[in-house]
Amino acid sequence: MESDVLLNNLQKSKQLIARYADLDYAAYTLKYYIQHYDKKSLFTFLSLIPTLILIYLPKLVINFRVNMLMFLIVAVISFVLLKYGFFNLLIRFKRKALWQENQPKLLNLMDKMNNVVHQLDAFTVLPPKYRTVHAADTLESYIVNKRIDNHKEGLNLYEDELLKMQQRQNQRVQIQQNYEMINQNKKMIHQNIKMIRAQAVTNALSMFK
């Protein structure tokens, strides 16, 4: 009976945790969009238009004597001012407007996330450290497969398996590093052999001089 209650608790906890993760991702995505709002590619294209006009204007006007170097300098300065001055200012204003526009939505997401946290605090058997979908899934599988009788046993078993998983990962990293070192040593040996052979040929040729 205890295992059934625990299983039900874990299943509902997993739903709440997944809900929190979705809300957190939505908030992160919105913040990332605002913080990295950038239309420089479009602005670069727009800034090229007056630059090209300034460059090709002397060719379009008949009998218009002008210093091409001066036109080129003015064109480059115009491009730089438009792209890195005026358009950067527009981007900052747009980001500020986006923050103000989306602030109610972000606050709503934060309220929903806090509500999920309160529900978990009042309901779940999982300590804060283990409030992940992976932990809930793993503990649920322990119960289904009759590996534990209570959540404390499940948490201990989960910690043991996490430790073993980390150890295996460290071993794989070490093996990969050793493999790379062996390959580097092989390359160095091969280069040394080539140098020795080249020196031997040089020495042999010097004997006939």
Side-chain angles (χ1 to χ4, degrees), residues 23-37 98-99 101-107 109:
L23 293 170
D24 183 62
Y25 179 76
Y28 171 80
T29 303
L30 184 56
K31 290 179 181 178
Y32 184 88
Y33 169 74
I34 296 173
Q35 291 172 351
H36 296 83
Y37 175 83
L98 286 173
W99 275 116
E101 177 184 344
N102 290 280
Q103 188 174 14
K105 186 175 181 180
L106 286 170
L107 291 175
L109 288 171

Side-chain angles (χ1 to χ4, degrees), residues 47 50-51 54-55 69-86:
S47 62
T51 304
L54 287 173
I55 291 176
L69 180 60
M70 289 299 298
F71 257 95
L72 183 60
I73 293 174
V74 172
V76 172
I77 293 175
S78 300
F79 175 79
V80 172
L81 289 177
L82 285 172
K83 182 178 179 181
Y84 298 102
F86 179 69

Side-chain angles (χ1 to χ4, degrees), residues 141-153:
S141 69
Y142 292 161
I143 297 173
V144 172
N145 295 314
K146 308 296 184 183
R147 298 183 65 186
I148 60 172
D149 294 323
N150 54 65
H151 75 283
K152 289 184 178 180
E153 291 180 2

Side-chain angles (χ1 to χ4, degrees), residues 1 5 28 38-39 41 44 68 79 82 93 108 113 115-117 126 128 133-134 137-138 140 148 185 188 191 198:
M1 185 64 181
V5 174
Y28 171 80
D38 192 349
K39 296 294 184 181
S41 57
T44 300
M68 284 296 297
F79 175 79
L82 285 172
F93 277 122
N108 184 43
M113 291 167 64
N115 184 42
V116 172
V117 171
L126 294 172
V133 174
H134 179 266
D137 268 336
T138 305
E140 185 179 339
I148 60 172
N185 290 335
M188 291 179 62
Q191 290 176 354

Side-chain angles (χ1 to χ4, degrees), residues 5-16 116-126 131:
V5 174
L6 180 57
L7 183 62
N8 181 63
N9 186 286
L10 290 172
Q11 290 173 344
K12 292 183 178 179
S13 297
K14 184 170 64 175
Q15 293 175 357
L16 289 173
V116 172
V117 171
H118 293 324
Q119 292 182 55
L120 281 169
D121 288 339
F123 174 77
T124 186
V125 297
L126 294 172
R131 291 177 186 176

